[in-house]
Amino acid sequence: MTQPLVYIDAPATAPYRYGLFSAAAVVDPADQREFQAGVEWEPQCADVPAPTNAAAASDPNRVPMALPDGVPITRPGVIRLYTGLTDRSVARPDLLERARRAIGLVEQQSLEHYAWAGGAGNAVHLAAAGTPVLAGSDVTPVPLEEGVGRLEAHISRRAGVLGVLWAPRWTAGWWAVKQLTRTDGPRLIGPLGNPVVFAETSGVGPGGVAPGAGEAWLYATGPVMVRRSAVFLPTLPEALDRKDNEVFAVAERFYTVGWSCGVAAVKVMLPGVPA
């Protein structure tokens, strides 16, 4: 007679690190109405260097001041994620809780993917066709350390505060070899203190252009904010399909991911593979 398998606990796990949530302001608002259409805010951005006028204020030929027209607006769209499982055992009251835990495991990487490449209803994303490319690197990629420097300089010029550096997760080893990051509490930060998101992404450039062999696209933005709704779950009676006694356990959550003060891209050459 075959002995039945012994049921044991799953292996202990550690949380996903150095992703979007480590670099962004993550907000769980009490008012859920914003997830019907999205949100908007007015960022305070810089434009370095500030203009100057040496002429006296009483000079009739004094050049008029040139000021930007209007106030910039950030309008991230709503991303709706769902996950879960089906099972034919109504004797498993934990199925809905498993669905809740599943959305927590997948939400950060999924948001990185959609914030980078678009889709899921968010028109504002890093790899949009209009994202400016620095230093002509779309034609001639620059070394990794130069690309990081140009992105941090761009953040300084456009945001005036710390922003966020974005890189494909698979490039983290090259950043480490070049000593471009250091830990700062739960974050990894770049040379000038901007937090780095090592994102789960295909890594495409502006307009969806894939990098060549030995190349990678990186991005810089101003400060990033993620806003999350409550996790929506059916009750167990609602999840039960009595036709075939199947439980449809699904968890849904709505998000907005946006950033202040624009975005820029740079294409870099990766150094030799670490030994």
Side-chain angles (χ1 to χ4, degrees):
M1 180 177 178
T2 303
Q3 181 175 333
L5 299 177
V6 177
Y7 187 86
I8 62 173
D9 292 334
T13 59
Y16 183 86
R17 301 182 70 189
Y18 307 133
L20 175 59
F21 292 176
S22 72
V26 181
V27 182
D28 298 319
D31 188 344
Q32 302 291 289
R33 292 175 299 175
E34 67 184 61
F35 298 104
Q36 300 305 310
V39 296
E40 64 179 9
W41 69 83
E42 297 178 356
Q44 184 76 44
C45 302
D47 191 8
V48 176
T52 182
N53 193 329
S58 59
D59 187 344
N61 297 319
R62 190 170 186 263
V63 176
M65 290 184 177
L67 296 174
D69 184 17
V71 177
I73 297 291
T74 295
R75 293 189 177 99
V78 178
I79 300 172
R80 296 169 171 83
L81 300 181
Y82 71 90
T83 188
L85 70 161
T86 60
D87 193 90
R88 285 182 168 80
S89 175
V90 294
R92 290 289 302 272
D94 65 323
L95 291 178
L96 292 173
E97 181 55 34
R98 289 180 67 89
R100 180 192 295 274
R101 293 198 301 269
I103 199 79
L105 291 174
V106 77
E107 61 181 349
Q108 190 169 185
Q109 303 95 308
S110 301
L111 294 177
E112 291 164 1
H113 169 78
Y114 292 121
W116 189 297
N122 62 321
V124 178
H125 57 280
L126 301 175
T131 297
V133 178
L134 303 180
S137 58
D138 50 341
V139 177
T140 305
V142 299
L144 174 60
E145 56 271 35
E146 178 184 343
V148 171
R150 288 185 178 275
L151 291 177
E152 289 205 298
H154 175 82
I155 291 172
S156 175
R157 287 193 302 269
R158 294 295 299 121
V161 295
L162 291 179
V164 175
L165 300 171
W166 300 70
R169 203 161 181 84
W170 53 267
T171 66
W174 281 282
W175 287 64
V177 165
K178 289 295 184 177
Q179 299 182 336
L180 293 170
T181 57
R182 63 186 187 276
T183 57
D184 180 33
R187 295 176 163 184
L188 280 180
I189 60 175
L192 298 183
N194 293 287
V196 184
V197 174
F198 283 110
E200 179 61 40
T201 175
S202 61
V204 295
V209 177
E215 301 172 349
W217 284 100
L218 311 178
Y219 292 90
T221 65
V224 177
M225 179 162 54
V226 176
R227 300 177 72 85
R228 305 183 298 186
S229 76
V231 178
F232 298 103
L233 290 163
T235 64
L236 190 57
E238 291 170 337
L240 175 61
D241 182 352
R242 297 185 182 278
K243 180 180 178 181
D244 53 11
N245 215 32
E246 184 174 65
V247 176
F248 186 73
V250 60
E252 295 182 275
R253 200 172 199 183
F254 303 161
Y255 308 81
T256 58
V257 182
W259 43 81
S260 301
C261 306
V263 57
V266 67
K267 188 164 65 173
V268 300
M269 300 178 295
L270 297 172
V273 177

